[in-house]
Amino acid sequence: MVTDMKIGIIGLGSIGLLLSACLAREDHQVTCYVRRNQQKERLRTKGVSLYTLHHNRPSSFKVNAKSLGELDEHDLYVVCVKYPQLDEVIQTLRTKAPDNKPILFLQNGMSHVEWVSTLQQPVFIGVLDHGARRKNDHSVEHTGAGVIRIGALVKKDKTLMNHILDVLDTSDFPWIYDENPINLLKQKLVVNAVINPLTAIFDVENGELLTNPYLYHLAKGLCEETCQVLQFPFDKYWDYVKRVAKHTGRNSSSMREDIRNQNQTEIDTISGYVLKQSIRKLPYTSFVYNGIKALENRTGSVSHD
Amino acid sequence: MVTDMKIGIIGLGSIGLLLSACLAREDHQVTCYVRRNQQKERLRTKGVSLYTLHHNRPSSFKVNAKSLGELDEHDLYVVCVKYPQLDEVIQTLRTKAPDNKPILFLQNGMSHVEWVSTLQQPVFIGVLDHGARRKNDHSVEHTGAGVIRIGALVKKDKTLMNHILDVLDTSDFPWIYDENPINLLKQKLVVNAVINPLTAIFDVENGELLTNPYLYHLAKGLCEETCQVLQFPFDKYWDYVKRVAKHTGRNSSSMREDIRNQNQTEIDTISGYVLKQSIRKLPYTSFVYNGIKALENRTGSVSHD
C-alpha cells in the first residue's frame, strides 16, 4: 500500500498553507501552485512554516512551488482558491490534469457544485472546520484543530476516495468520509449565511451573535430564511448555528476579516447563492447581501492573490 | 408691538445651544434650562458662543441658566431635549408653566405628538434643517444655515403663533409658518428613517447613500416601507430623501454621531415608531432597528446629558 502521495495544492491562502504543511509533515510530496512569483520563491526556499498553539517556534516543511501554468501530474489535486480564481483553475485542470486523478474542492458556498461536476476527473467535495490564520506568504497558524470531511460527487468514485482517505487520515490531521458531501456544503452554507455577514457588518466576534439580543434576533431571522430556501428544518439548524457561534466565540469570521483587510468577500457565493435559489423575497438575506456589497464598495475593495 | 421676548430654552444640546445663541443675538431674554450644574455655571459665566462658517472667532451672547426645577414664567418655552428626558420636562411644564404661554416642541420622530397634546398650554410643533454641532457645554458651531418651520397643534392657537412668528422671524434666522406641522414631522420622519440608521450602521456620510449603489438600494427599500406605513406617495418622498442626502452629503447624521460617541440614539422614536404603526412586517426597517439596537448594546451605550 502506498503511504505517501504526490499532492498538488492549488491556492495558498490560510487553508492551502495549512494543508500543505500538514500533508508535508506526513511525508507526502507537496507541490504548491500559486500566482505570485514572490510567494513561489519564498515557498521554494523557506518551505511552509506551521505555528501551533502549543509550540512557540514553528515547524517548517519542504514543499515544491510552481505556477498554475506548470501544472504537473499528481495523485491528488486539492483546490483551495476562492471563487474569483476558480474559473481559471478549472480550465487548467480540465486541459492539463490526467483524467483518472481525483480533484478535491474545498470552497465555501454552493456555487461551484454544478461547475465542477462537468470535469472528467473524479471530483471530491470537502469542508473543513480547522481554524487557520495566514501569517505571511509561507507561514500559517493552526488556531483550532478540526477535521476535514469529504465525499465523492459521483458514486462510482467512492472506491478511489476510500483509498485516498486511507492514506491521508492520521490522528494528527483527521480526514472523515461523508456519504453526502452536498449536504455538508449546505450545512456549512447555513452557518456562513448567518454568521459571516452579521459579524462583518456589525464588526463583532462570532460569540456576540449569542450575547447581543438584537444580533441574536437578526441571526435567527437570517437562519429562518436560509433554512426555508434549502428546505432544512429550522430548529435543528438554528441549534447547529448557535453551537458553531459558541464554539468559535472568540473567532473573527473570514468575511469580517475580508472587510477589515479590504479584500473581496465571499458574499456572492453565500448570501448571493441563497437569494438566487429563492423565488420568494428574503428581506434579511437581501439586506445583508447589499450591506456587505456596500462595505466592499465603500472601502474600495480589491481582490488580493 | 413687543420686539423682544422672554424665552425659556429647555435642553442645551446642539439645537438648544444654536437657538439660545441666535435668539439672544436678536436681544431676546434667553433662559437656558439644563440638568448639570457644571453646564449651568458655564452658561451663566461665559454665555453662549456661536461659531459660524464665515468667521474664525465666535460671538458670545449673554443668557441666564437654571435647573428645570426653577422654571420661570416666559413668553415662549422651547423644548429641545431628546425623548429620554421628555417625560420629566412635560411633567414640569404641566405643573409650573402658565396656562396661556405657548410651548414649542422640536423633537425628531412622532412619538411625542399624542403626549404633548394633553398639555393645557398652546402647543407648537416644529422641525428645523439647520446644521449644528455642539463644541462644548456653551459653544455651538452653525454648520449649515436653514429654517425652522412651526405650526400649531390646535387651530385656535394660530393667532398666538402668528404673533410669536412676527417677533421671532428675521432674515438671519428665519421662522416659517406651516399649516400642518404633523405632516412636517412625518416628512422628517421619512428622511430620518432612511438616512439615520443606514449612515450609522455602515459608518458613512449622508451622501454615500446616493453614490454607493448598494446603500442606495437599501435606502430605497427603507423609504418604500416608511412611505407605505405613513401612506405617503413613494416617488415624491424618495425624491425628497435623495435631495436631503445630496444637500447634506458631507454631513454625519446625528445617529451616526450618537453611535460613534456611545450615546443613546433616537432609533426608538424613528424606526421604532414606524414599526409600531404597521400591522404588516417591515423587514428592512426591522433590520435597521435591531441593527442600531445591537450597536448601542455592543458599545455599552449610555445616555449622556
Side-chain angles (χ1 to χ4, degrees):
Chain A
M1 186 181 143
V2 182
T3 55
D4 66 320
M5 290 202 299
K6 289 196 282 185
I7 301 175
I9 311 277
I10 304 172
L12 272 282
S14 58
I15 297 302
L17 284 165
L18 179 72
L19 276 168
S20 299
C22 292
L23 293 171
R25 183 174 62 186
E26 304 289 336
D27 293 328
H28 299 298
Q29 296 170 47
V30 173
T31 301
C32 301
Y33 292 95
V34 296
R35 295 206 297 176
R36 285 179 295 111
N37 280 325
Q38 195 182 37
Q39 185 173 24
K40 186 161 76 177
E41 283 312 309
R42 287 198 180 138
L43 288 164
R44 277 183 178 166
T45 53
K46 296 171 188 282
V48 177
S49 297
L50 180 68
Y51 291 76
T52 59
L53 291 175
H54 309 297
H55 299 90
N56 288 329
R57 298 183 57 187
S59 307
S60 285
F61 306 98
K62 194 168 175 294
V63 294
N64 196 3
K66 298 197 166 186
S67 307
L68 190 59
E70 310 169 283
L71 195 76
D72 272 341
E73 182 167 339
H74 298 285
D75 298 320
L76 172 67
Y77 298 88
V78 186
V79 181
C80 309
V81 300
K82 286 190 178 176
Y83 278 89
Q85 279 87 60
L86 201 55
D87 190 29
E88 184 194 352
V89 171
I90 289 174
Q91 295 309 327
T92 307
L93 288 165
R94 199 186 294 285
T95 53
K96 294 197 168 176
D99 279 6
N100 63 333
K101 298 295 184 183
I103 307 170
L104 168 60
F105 288 90
L106 293 178
Q107 279 63 39
N108 275 327
M110 296 281 297
S111 309
H112 59 297
V113 174
E114 218 172 313
W115 218 357
V116 301
S117 66
T118 64
L119 284 164
Q120 65 272 51
Q121 290 91 348
V123 169
F124 303 161
I125 299 272
V127 305
L128 72 179
D129 58 6
H130 287 275
R133 201 169 61 80
R134 180 186 176 284
K135 290 174 81 83
N136 58 40
D137 272 357
H138 63 96
S139 306
V140 65
E141 190 181 347
H142 196 176
T143 55
V147 298
I148 302 179
R149 290 171 204 279
I150 66 172
L153 201 59
V154 179
K155 277 227 156 46
K156 71 176 172 57
D157 297 327
K158 265 179 68 175
T159 316
L160 174 59
M161 205 198 55
N162 282 325
H163 166 69
I164 298 275
L165 277 178
D166 279 346
V167 180
L168 294 183
D169 183 39
T170 65
S171 59
D172 277 354
F173 198 66
W175 294 69
I176 296 173
Y177 167 72
D178 197 284
E179 177 71 27
N180 188 341
I182 303 299
N183 225 48
L184 279 183
L185 285 185
K186 284 189 177 176
Q187 195 169 335
K188 189 150 192 191
L189 184 66
V190 180
V191 171
N192 285 334
V194 176
I195 294 181
N196 278 8
L198 284 182
T199 53
I201 290 173
F202 294 100
D203 196 19
V204 294
E205 292 174 350
N206 295 355
E208 197 149 335
L209 300 185
L210 303 178
T211 57
N212 184 316
Y214 303 102
L215 293 180
Y216 186 94
H217 175 86
L218 293 178
K220 197 172 171 186
L222 274 175
C223 189
E224 273 167 352
E225 289 183 0
T226 313
C227 286
Q228 199 179 78
V229 172
L230 299 179
Q231 298 182 294
F232 274 2
F234 168 71
D235 288 341
K236 182 179 162 192
Y237 282 85
W238 176 229
D239 280 344
Y240 177 60
V241 169
K242 286 191 285 187
R243 275 205 309 282
V244 173
K246 187 178 175 184
H247 186 66
T248 63
R250 299 303 308 270
N251 288 16
S252 184
S253 78
S254 59
M255 198 172 282
R256 182 188 182 212
E257 288 304 305
D258 282 338
I259 289 292
R260 288 185 149 194
N261 299 320
Q262 302 189 19
N263 286 336
Q264 193 177 357
T265 72
E266 295 187 301
I267 193 70
D268 277 310
T269 60
I270 297 173
S271 307
Y273 175 85
V274 175
L275 286 173
K276 270 192 197 148
Q277 298 306 304
S278 178
I279 43 165
R280 293 172 60 176
K281 280 193 176 174
L282 306 172
Y284 276 23
T285 306
S286 165
F287 194 102
V288 297
Y289 175 81
N290 283 282
I292 294 294
K293 287 283 194 184
L295 289 173
E296 286 184 349
N297 201 282
R298 180 199 63 168
T299 52
S301 168
V302 287
S303 172
H304 289 235
D305 197 325
Chain B
M1 187 182 142
V2 183
T3 55
D4 66 322
M5 290 202 297
K6 289 194 282 183
I7 302 175
I9 311 277
I10 303 171
L12 273 281
S14 58
I15 297 303
L17 284 165
L18 179 71
L19 276 169
S20 300
C22 293
L23 292 172
R25 184 174 61 186
E26 303 289 335
D27 293 328
H28 298 296
Q29 296 171 45
V30 172
T31 302
C32 301
Y33 290 95
V34 297
R35 295 205 300 174
R36 285 180 297 110
N37 280 325
Q38 197 181 35
Q39 185 173 22
K40 187 161 74 177
E41 283 310 311
R42 287 199 179 136
L43 287 165
R44 278 184 177 167
T45 54
K46 296 171 189 280
V48 178
S49 298
L50 180 69
Y51 291 75
T52 59
L53 291 175
H54 309 296
H55 299 90
N56 287 329
R57 298 183 57 187
S59 308
S60 285
F61 304 98
K62 196 167 174 294
V63 293
N64 195 3
K66 298 196 167 187
S67 307
L68 190 60
E70 309 168 284
L71 194 76
D72 272 342
E73 183 168 336
H74 298 284
D75 299 320
L76 172 68
Y77 297 88
V78 186
V79 181
C80 309
V81 300
K82 285 191 177 174
Y83 278 90
Q85 279 87 59
L86 201 55
D87 190 27
E88 186 194 350
V89 170
I90 289 175
Q91 295 310 326
T92 307
L93 288 166
R94 200 185 294 286
T95 53
K96 294 198 170 177
D99 279 6
N100 62 334
K101 299 295 185 184
I103 307 169
L104 167 60
F105 288 89
L106 293 177
Q107 279 62 42
N108 276 326
M110 296 281 297
S111 308
H112 59 298
V113 175
E114 219 172 313
W115 218 357
V116 301
S117 65
T118 64
L119 284 165
Q120 65 272 50
Q121 290 90 350
V123 170
F124 303 161
I125 299 273
V127 305
L128 71 180
D129 56 7
H130 287 276
R133 201 169 62 81
R134 179 187 177 283
K135 290 174 82 83
N136 58 40
D137 272 356
H138 62 96
S139 306
V140 65
E141 189 180 350
H142 197 176
T143 55
V147 297
I148 303 180
R149 290 171 204 278
I150 66 172
L153 201 58
V154 179
K155 276 225 159 49
K156 71 175 171 60
D157 297 328
K158 265 179 67 175
T159 317
L160 174 60
M161 204 196 58
N162 282 325
H163 166 68
I164 298 274
L165 277 178
D166 279 345
V167 179
L168 294 183
D169 183 39
T170 65
S171 58
D172 276 355
F173 199 65
W175 294 71
I176 296 174
Y177 168 72
D178 197 282
E179 176 70 27
N180 189 342
I182 303 299
N183 225 47
L184 278 183
L185 286 185
K186 284 188 176 175
Q187 196 169 335
K188 187 148 192 193
L189 184 66
V190 180
V191 171
N192 285 334
V194 174
I195 294 180
N196 278 6
L198 284 182
T199 53
I201 289 173
F202 294 101
D203 196 18
V204 294
E205 292 174 350
N206 295 355
E208 197 149 336
L209 300 185
L210 302 178
T211 56
N212 184 316
Y214 304 102
L215 293 181
Y216 185 94
H217 175 87
L218 293 178
K220 197 172 171 186
L222 274 176
C223 189
E224 273 167 352
E225 289 184 358
T226 313
C227 287
Q228 200 180 80
V229 172
L230 299 180
Q231 298 181 293
F232 275 1
F234 168 71
D235 289 341
K236 181 179 161 192
Y237 282 86
W238 176 230
D239 280 344
Y240 178 61
V241 169
K242 286 191 287 188
R243 275 204 310 281
V244 173
K246 187 178 175 186
H247 186 67
T248 63
R250 298 303 308 269
N251 287 16
S252 184
S253 78
S254 58
M255 198 171 282
R256 183 188 183 213
E257 289 303 305
D258 281 338
I259 290 293
R260 288 184 151 196
N261 298 321
Q262 302 189 20
N263 285 336
Q264 194 177 355
T265 72
E266 296 187 300
I267 192 69
D268 277 309
T269 61
I270 297 173
S271 308
Y273 176 84
V274 175
L275 287 173
K276 271 193 198 146
Q277 298 307 307
S278 178
I279 45 167
R280 293 171 60 177
K281 279 193 177 174
L282 305 173
Y284 276 23
T285 306
S286 164
F287 194 102
V288 297
Y289 175 80
N290 283 282
I292 293 293
K293 286 283 195 183
L295 289 174
E296 287 184 347
N297 200 284
R298 180 199 62 168
T299 52
S301 166
V302 286
S303 171
H304 287 235
D305 197 328

